[in-house]
Each structure stands twice: as structure tokens, then as C-alpha cells.
Amino acid sequence: MRECVLFYFLALCSAKPFILPPKYMAMTDLILNDMEDDNDDDDEKDDDDNNSLFPFKRNTPIRPTPPPFDIFPTCPFGCQCYLRVVQCSDLGLTAIPNKIPYDTRLLDLQNNKIKEVKEKDLQGLSSLYALFLNNNKVHKVHPKAFQSMKKLRRLYFSHNQLTEIPSNLPTSLAELRIHDNKVKKVQKGAFKGMESLHVLEMSANPLENDGIEPGAFDGLTVYHVRIAEAKLTSIPKGLPSSIYELHLDHNKISAVELEDLLRYQELKRLGLGHNKIKEVENGSLSNIPNIREIHLENNKLKKVPPGLQDLKYLQVIFLHSNNIAKVEVNDFCSTTPKLKKSLYSGISLFGNPVKYWEVQPATFRCTLGRNSIHLGNFRK
């Protein structure tokens, strides 16, 4: 019996102390221990060879002071933040949230109930590249709301309640969308200094021709302009001359006059569908010699617009759902074969009272093939 007790006593004296495994240690202690281990290793090296993540000088305390930045940055309550993207959509927000990370590049606030953009809502977000405020109830924007925005390129205000273009918008904008608001007036200088603005979307606003003040677009180099579903009765004459695409569909335009397109000689695509156009004045299309695509569907034209045969780059012309009763042999193709640089890939004439069996085959001699022509039957 004495031998068993002696053996047990010797085994107990030689046992090592019990240590908790790493998974039971606090995360903070693990980080501090790693930093301490790095610091101990650095004591054996020169200061120039210090490659630790958080280097400290020799003889530092066992628990050094934390680094001068936030390892876990804040994120607005309910939002999702990841890689400088803050996503706060569909949360029922009534105001722009606080504590947005200062280095945010994309801020998504669409599908909420935000009514106003206040002066300090976006303060400090100097790195912001895109701001989405679609589908809110914004009716007021403070004149200094975008004061710190130097890199903002995309601003979406579609589906809100704005009655005018917000003042003092960032001059760095490349894309501005104010679709489906209550804008009735575009004041002079509304886009002052926006030399980089390339896309302007203002459709579905109760905007009339008189609502566009002279000089409203001075200094702009816009390539894409869309003012569809408005109350325009004619093609605006004061838009930027640099336009490549102009979409004026679903308006009340009744005619295309000689001077309407004189300013837009760089135009590549023209959308005039779903209007009340009865006539395209002879010579008006010659002002857009680089045009590639024209939409004149769903109007009240009685004949093919004159001048199409002189447009050597025109490839697509939509004339369906009009009142065209006759198509001449030279309405689309020039009598000089070498004049046409690009063949037609699409000519639509369906929905017109034209007797397609009377159209001569030579009428479409400058098309890519029979699949490029859409005639169809006319039914009342």
C-alpha cells in the first residue's frame, strides 16, 4: 500500500500545469500576444529589419497602445458595408443615416422614404463616386449638400418629387438621372461647370419648351440626352451641340422643321417615336449627316420623310404605325451607288396603309437583305 501512495505522489509532482487551448482565449489577448511575440523577436534584430505588422520601438510596454486607426470601422444601423460600398436600400429610412464611413465610394439609398438632402448629410464623403437616391420622396436639396463632393461621377435622383434641378451640383458629374420627378423648369446655369457630364436623363417630367431657359445647357459636352414622356411640342433648340443620342419619344411634337436639327450635326441616334409628327420638312435631315438610327414610329406621317436617300451612314429607320400610303423607288436609296457607305439593317413599314405588293423590289436595293425589311399587313 505504501508503494502505491509513493508512486502516486511522485506522478503528481512531475505533472505539468494545465493550460487552456487557444480557442478558449479572448481574441484581444491573442492579438496582444502576437504583437508581444513580434516585439520580442524584434529585440534581437536591428530597427531597420523590423517587418512586423504593427512595429514598435524597443523597451515598449508589454501591452502597447493600439494603432491610430479603427480596425473595425462603423456602419450605419441596418446597412451593409463592404469594400467601401454602403448599401442602405429598402430600409424605410426617412433621412440619410449618420456614421457613413468617410472612405465610401458607392452609397445606395434607393427605395426608401427620404424627403430631404440636408447640408451636412454627406459632409466629409470626399471619395464618393456614385450616389443612388432613386425611388424616395426627395423634394428639397440644400444648396451646399454636395459641397465636399469632388469625385462624384454618378448621381441618380429618379422617381422623386423634385420641382427643379438641384443647384450647385458637383462639377465632376458624368451621369445625372432625374427621371420621373416634377421638374417644370430648367433654369439658366443649372449645369454650370459640368464639363464632364455625358449622360443626362430627364424623362417623365412635366417639362415644356418654354421651361428650358436660354443658356441652360451652355458649356456642356453631353453625349446622351433623354427628355421622353414630357410635354414638348417641338425639338428643343438649346441643347448641347455635342449630342450623339437624343431621345424625345412620347411627347407632343407635331413637326420636324428645317432649323430643329441644325445644331446637332454630330447626332448618331434620334428618337422621335410616339409623337404627333405629320411632316418632316424637306432638307431638315441633311443637318444630321452622321445619323445611324432614326425612330419615327407611331406618328401621323403620310409619306416617307424626304432626304433619307442622302444619309450615307443611316442603317435603321423605323416608320411603322403611321399613315404612309405609298413608297417610291428612291425613298430610301440614292441613285448614286457609291454614296451609301452603310447598308440598311432595318426598315420597318408595318402598320401603314401601304400596298406592299405594289412596292418595287429596287426600292430596297441598298439593304443587307430581305430580313432587313419589315412590311406586314395593314389592318384597321
Side-chain angles (χ1 to χ4, degrees), residues 5-236:
V5 172
L6 180 61
F7 177 78
Y8 177 79
F9 180 75
L10 293 173
L12 181 63
C13 293
S14 61
K16 295 182 179 180
F18 177 73
I19 301 176
L20 287 172
K23 65 179 180 179
Y24 293 103
M25 300 177 66
M27 181 63 67
T28 304
D29 292 337
L30 287 174
I31 295 175
L32 291 175
N33 288 338
D34 290 340
M35 293 171 63
E36 291 172 5
D37 292 340
D38 290 339
N39 192 44
D40 292 339
D41 294 338
D42 292 340
D43 290 341
E44 299 176 0
K45 300 180 182 179
D46 295 334
D47 291 339
D48 295 337
D49 296 332
N50 192 344
N51 293 321
S52 62
L53 182 59
F54 303 120
F56 296 93
K57 296 181 180 180
R58 295 181 182 180
N59 300 325
T60 55
I62 296 177
R63 292 180 179 268
T65 57
F69 57 86
D70 192 359
I71 299 178
F72 305 102
T74 59
C75 185
F77 178 77
C79 302
Q80 298 180 4
C81 303
Y82 181 72
L83 293 178
R84 293 186 290 180
V85 174
V86 179
Q87 202 272 337
C88 302
S89 62
D90 302 277
L91 296 177
L93 300 175
T94 57
I96 296 178
N98 299 322
K99 298 183 179 181
I100 299 173
Y102 70 93
D103 60 344
T104 300
R105 294 278 286 166
L106 188 152
L107 179 56
D108 185 0
L109 295 167
Q110 58 185 331
N111 302 327
N112 282 290
K113 299 178 182 179
I114 300 172
K115 297 181 180 181
E116 183 179 356
V117 181
K118 300 178 182 179
E119 179 180 358
K120 297 183 179 181
D121 282 346
L122 305 171
Q123 188 175 19
L125 302 179
S126 57
S127 299
L128 199 62
Y129 177 87
L131 175 59
F132 300 158
L133 280 163
N134 312 45
N135 196 23
N136 276 277
K137 297 181 179 181
V138 178
H139 66 276
K140 184 179 180 181
V141 179
H142 195 277
K144 296 183 179 180
F146 301 99
Q147 190 172 7
S148 61
M149 303 293 170
K150 306 298 181 182
K151 299 180 181 179
L152 191 64
R153 299 285 287 171
R154 288 174 169 79
L155 178 57
Y156 295 174
F157 266 119
S158 299
H159 306 289
N160 278 282
Q161 299 177 8
L162 293 172
T163 57
E164 61 181 8
I165 307 296
S167 58
N168 299 323
L169 291 174
T171 57
S172 58
L173 283 180
E175 183 177 355
L176 176 61
R177 297 182 180 271
I178 315 180
H179 174 82
D180 192 12
N181 277 266
K182 299 180 180 180
V183 178
K184 295 183 179 181
K185 184 178 181 180
V186 182
Q187 61 273 25
K188 183 178 180 180
F191 308 101
K192 185 178 180 181
M194 297 185 192
E195 298 178 356
S196 301
L197 188 63
H198 294 161
V199 177
L200 179 59
E201 167 65 81
M202 295 195 302
S203 298
N205 284 285
L207 185 62
E208 301 180 1
N209 289 81
D210 295 339
I212 302 176
E213 294 185 357
F217 300 94
D218 287 352
L220 289 184
T221 308
V222 184
Y223 300 127
H224 179 107
V225 175
R226 185 178 181 88
I227 315 179
E229 303 175 65
K231 296 184 178 182
L232 299 177
T233 55
S234 63
I235 298 176

Side-chain angles (χ1 to χ4, degrees), residues 312 334-341:
K312 55 185 178 181
S334 173
T335 56
T336 305
K338 293 183 179 181
L339 179 63
K340 190 68 175 173
K341 300 296 183 181

